[in-house]
Amino acid sequence: MLSVVVAKLLAGPLVIGATSVAGQRWGQQMAGVLAGLPTLALLIIGILWLEQGSEFTRDVIEYAPIGLFANTLYILLLAYASRFFKVLGTLLVAIIGYVAMAILLVKFSAHQIPYNGICSLIFLALAYKAIPKQAKSQLKTTLPKIELLLRMGLAATLILALSLAAPSVGTSYSGIFTGFPVASLILPAFTLALYGRNALLHQLRGFVLGLIGFAVCFLLWPLGISQLGFAALLPALLAAVCCTASLHLIAQRRALELPHE
């Protein structure tokens, strides 16, 4: 189907491109906020809905919030491993942690834990506090066109791989890997390599704020999906955006009041 091909090859890379430009214009934390929102996850779910049908995709959606535990651990590992390793080492540690956590979540049927969505929100809030504090100043960066194209190309490759692998790994792993850190694999790698750990930490705190919106979206969406189907996404996504925007504004105001944090 032409629309599916277009979504795979264009929409995902455009999201990465837009967040990269946002980082150049408004700082790395804003790039993280935008990338943490469930834009890419929703793209993959939309592709699955068209290709695999609603029944398969609804099961995937139920597992998606569980993947936030693995995603949050991934971000924390990026934050702390970057103190000791260069880019490749940092990414390797974080990816190993992500995969190990994802496997444990499936093995122990974490989706059956009562109030797991609420638990994921609490875990994200704790992670935000746990990310090391960084200097307040954020230098605006210049983004070469070749780097932007490379980021977008990597995004297209990863999204294609995830959407093609989903049917063969089952709904549980598909749901968890729907939240695979595509954006938080690509953007932090370039940020750490080009602008250093301080910029990376700013970006990761933004990612956590965006992931809180992700959690809100996937908590609310299943409540209306039986009646409205895919359209139930719209109010859930609106609530997610409003929540993340509010948290970002609060964080910005707090940063102004506490300039040494």
Side-chain angles (χ1 to χ4, degrees), residues 1 9 21 30 51 77 93 105 108 129 140 144 159 161 179 181-182 198 218 220 225 229 250:
M1 186 180 295
L9 296 180
V21 172
M30 177 56 75
E51 292 183 341
L77 289 173
V93 169
L105 290 169
F108 289 97
K129 290 289 187 181
K140 292 186 178 180
I159 291 170
V182 173
N198 184 59
F218 280 88
L220 298 179
I225 202 169
I250 292 170

CSV table of all heavy atoms in Angstrom, one decimal, residues 1 9 21 30 51 77 93 105 108 129 140 144 159 161 179 181-182 198 218 220 225 229 250:
chain,number,residue,atom,x,y,z
A,1,MET,N,0.8,-1.2,0.0
A,1,MET,CA,0.0,0.0,0.0
A,1,MET,C,0.9,1.2,0.0
A,1,MET,O,1.8,1.4,0.8
A,1,MET,CB,-0.9,0.0,1.2
A,1,MET,CG,-1.9,1.1,1.2
A,1,MET,SD,-3.0,1.1,2.7
A,1,MET,CE,-3.8,-0.5,2.5
A,9,LEU,N,9.0,5.7,4.8
A,9,LEU,CA,10.2,6.3,4.2
A,9,LEU,C,10.2,7.8,4.5
A,9,LEU,O,11.3,8.4,4.4
A,9,LEU,CB,10.2,6.1,2.7
A,9,LEU,CG,10.3,4.6,2.3
A,9,LEU,CD1,10.3,4.5,0.8
A,9,LEU,CD2,11.6,4.0,2.9
A,21,VAL,N,16.1,20.1,14.0
A,21,VAL,CA,16.1,21.5,13.8
A,21,VAL,C,15.6,22.3,15.1
A,21,VAL,O,16.1,23.4,15.4
A,21,VAL,CB,15.2,21.8,12.6
A,21,VAL,CG1,15.0,23.3,12.4
A,21,VAL,CG2,15.8,21.3,11.3
A,30,MET,N,14.5,21.1,24.3
A,30,MET,CA,13.3,21.1,23.5
A,30,MET,C,13.3,20.0,22.5
A,30,MET,O,12.3,19.3,22.2
A,30,MET,CB,13.2,22.4,22.8
A,30,MET,CG,11.9,22.5,21.9
A,30,MET,SD,10.4,22.1,22.7
A,30,MET,CE,10.1,23.7,23.6
A,51,GLU,N,-1.3,-2.9,8.2
A,51,GLU,CA,-0.7,-4.1,7.6
A,51,GLU,C,-1.2,-5.4,8.4
A,51,GLU,O,-1.4,-6.4,7.7
A,51,GLU,CB,0.8,-4.0,7.7
A,51,GLU,CG,1.4,-3.0,6.8
A,51,GLU,CD,2.9,-3.0,6.8
A,51,GLU,OE1,3.5,-3.6,7.7
A,51,GLU,OE2,3.5,-2.5,5.8
A,77,LEU,N,20.9,5.1,31.6
A,77,LEU,CA,22.2,4.5,31.3
A,77,LEU,C,23.0,5.4,30.3
A,77,LEU,O,24.2,5.6,30.5
A,77,LEU,CB,22.0,3.1,30.7
A,77,LEU,CG,21.6,2.0,31.6
A,77,LEU,CD1,21.3,0.7,30.8
A,77,LEU,CD2,22.6,1.8,32.7
A,93,VAL,N,26.2,0.3,26.1
A,93,VAL,CA,25.8,0.0,27.5
A,93,VAL,C,24.3,0.3,27.6
A,93,VAL,O,23.5,-0.5,28.1
A,93,VAL,CB,26.5,0.9,28.5
A,93,VAL,CG1,25.8,0.9,29.8
A,93,VAL,CG2,28.0,0.5,28.6
A,105,LEU,N,10.8,-7.9,31.2
A,105,LEU,CA,9.4,-7.4,31.3
A,105,LEU,C,8.4,-8.4,30.6
A,105,LEU,O,7.3,-8.7,31.1
A,105,LEU,CB,9.2,-6.1,30.6
A,105,LEU,CG,9.9,-4.9,31.3
A,105,LEU,CD1,9.9,-3.6,30.4
A,105,LEU,CD2,9.2,-4.6,32.6
A,108,PHE,N,8.3,-11.9,32.7
A,108,PHE,CA,7.6,-11.8,34.0
A,108,PHE,C,6.2,-11.2,33.8
A,108,PHE,O,5.5,-10.9,34.7
A,108,PHE,CB,8.4,-11.0,35.0
A,108,PHE,CG,9.6,-11.7,35.5
A,108,PHE,CD1,10.8,-11.5,35.0
A,108,PHE,CD2,9.5,-12.7,36.5
A,108,PHE,CE1,12.0,-12.1,35.5
A,108,PHE,CE2,10.6,-13.3,37.0
A,108,PHE,CZ,11.9,-13.1,36.5
A,129,LYS,N,14.5,13.1,38.1
A,129,LYS,CA,15.3,13.6,39.3
A,129,LYS,C,16.7,13.0,39.3
A,129,LYS,O,17.6,13.6,39.8
A,129,LYS,CB,14.6,13.2,40.6
A,129,LYS,CG,13.3,14.0,40.8
A,129,LYS,CD,13.6,15.4,41.2
A,129,LYS,CE,12.4,16.2,41.6
A,129,LYS,NZ,12.7,17.6,41.9
A,140,LYS,N,23.4,27.5,21.3
A,140,LYS,CA,22.7,27.1,20.1
A,140,LYS,C,23.7,26.5,19.1
A,140,LYS,O,24.8,27.0,19.0
A,140,LYS,CB,22.0,28.3,19.5
A,140,LYS,CG,20.8,28.8,20.3
A,140,LYS,CD,20.0,29.9,19.6
A,140,LYS,CE,18.8,30.3,20.4
A,140,LYS,NZ,18.1,31.4,19.8
A,144,PRO,N,24.8,21.0,10.2
A,144,PRO,CA,25.1,20.8,8.8
A,144,PRO,C,24.1,20.0,8.1
A,144,PRO,O,23.5,19.0,8.6
A,144,PRO,CB,26.5,20.1,8.8
A,144,PRO,CG,27.0,20.3,10.2
A,144,PRO,CD,25.8,20.4,11.1
A,159,ILE,N,13.0,2.4,11.5
A,159,ILE,CA,11.6,2.3,11.5
A,159,ILE,C,11.2,1.1,10.6
A,159,ILE,O,10.3,0.3,10.9
A,159,ILE,CB,10.9,3.6,11.1
A,159,ILE,CG1,11.1,4.6,12.2
A,159,ILE,CG2,9.4,3.4,10.8
A,159,ILE,CD1,10.6,6.0,11.8
A,161,ALA,N,13.0,-1.5,9.9
A,161,ALA,CA,13.4,-2.7,10.5
A,161,ALA,C,12.4,-3.1,11.6
A,161,ALA,O,12.0,-4.3,11.7
A,161,ALA,CB,14.8,-2.6,11.1
A,179,GLY,N,8.0,1.2,21.4
A,179,GLY,CA,8.6,2.3,22.1
A,179,GLY,C,10.1,2.3,22.0
A,179,GLY,O,10.8,3.0,22.8
A,181,PRO,N,13.8,3.1,21.5
A,181,PRO,CA,14.3,4.5,21.5
A,181,PRO,C,14.9,4.9,20.1
A,181,PRO,O,16.1,5.1,20.1
A,181,PRO,CB,15.3,4.5,22.6
A,181,PRO,CG,15.7,3.1,22.7
A,181,PRO,CD,14.5,2.3,22.4
A,182,VAL,N,14.1,5.0,19.1
A,182,VAL,CA,14.6,5.4,17.8
A,182,VAL,C,15.2,6.8,17.9
A,182,VAL,O,16.4,7.0,17.5
A,182,VAL,CB,13.5,5.3,16.7
A,182,VAL,CG1,14.1,5.9,15.4
A,182,VAL,CG2,13.1,3.9,16.5
A,198,ASN,N,27.3,17.8,28.5
A,198,ASN,CA,26.4,18.8,29.1
A,198,ASN,C,25.1,18.9,28.2
A,198,ASN,O,24.0,19.0,28.7
A,198,ASN,CB,27.1,20.1,29.2
A,198,ASN,CG,26.2,21.2,29.9
A,198,ASN,OD1,25.8,21.0,31.0
A,198,ASN,ND2,26.0,22.3,29.2
A,218,PHE,N,-0.7,6.5,26.1
A,218,PHE,CA,-1.0,5.1,26.1
A,218,PHE,C,-1.8,4.6,27.3
A,218,PHE,O,-2.3,3.5,27.3
A,218,PHE,CB,0.3,4.3,25.9
A,218,PHE,CG,0.8,4.3,24.4
A,218,PHE,CD1,1.6,5.3,24.0
A,218,PHE,CD2,0.4,3.3,23.6
A,218,PHE,CE1,2.0,5.3,22.7
A,218,PHE,CE2,0.8,3.3,22.3
A,218,PHE,CZ,1.6,4.3,21.8
A,220,LEU,N,-4.5,6.6,28.2
A,220,LEU,CA,-5.8,7.0,27.9
A,220,LEU,C,-6.4,6.3,26.6
A,220,LEU,O,-7.6,6.1,26.5
A,220,LEU,CB,-5.8,8.5,27.7
A,220,LEU,CG,-5.5,9.3,29.0
A,220,LEU,CD1,-5.5,10.8,28.7
A,220,LEU,CD2,-6.4,9.0,30.1
A,225,ILE,N,-10.6,2.8,22.9
A,225,ILE,CA,-10.3,2.2,21.6
A,225,ILE,C,-11.4,1.2,21.2
A,225,ILE,O,-11.6,1.0,20.0
A,225,ILE,CB,-8.9,1.5,21.7
A,225,ILE,CG1,-8.3,1.3,20.3
A,225,ILE,CG2,-9.0,0.2,22.4
A,225,ILE,CD1,-6.9,1.0,20.3
A,229,GLY,N,-12.0,3.0,18.1
A,229,GLY,CA,-11.0,2.5,17.3
A,229,GLY,C,-9.8,3.4,17.3
A,229,GLY,O,-9.4,4.0,18.3
A,250,ILE,N,7.0,24.3,33.4
A,250,ILE,CA,7.3,24.3,34.9
A,250,ILE,C,8.8,24.2,35.1
A,250,ILE,O,9.5,24.8,35.9
A,250,ILE,CB,6.6,23.2,35.6
A,250,ILE,CG1,5.1,23.6,35.6
A,250,ILE,CG2,7.1,23.0,37.0
A,250,ILE,CD1,4.2,22.4,36.1
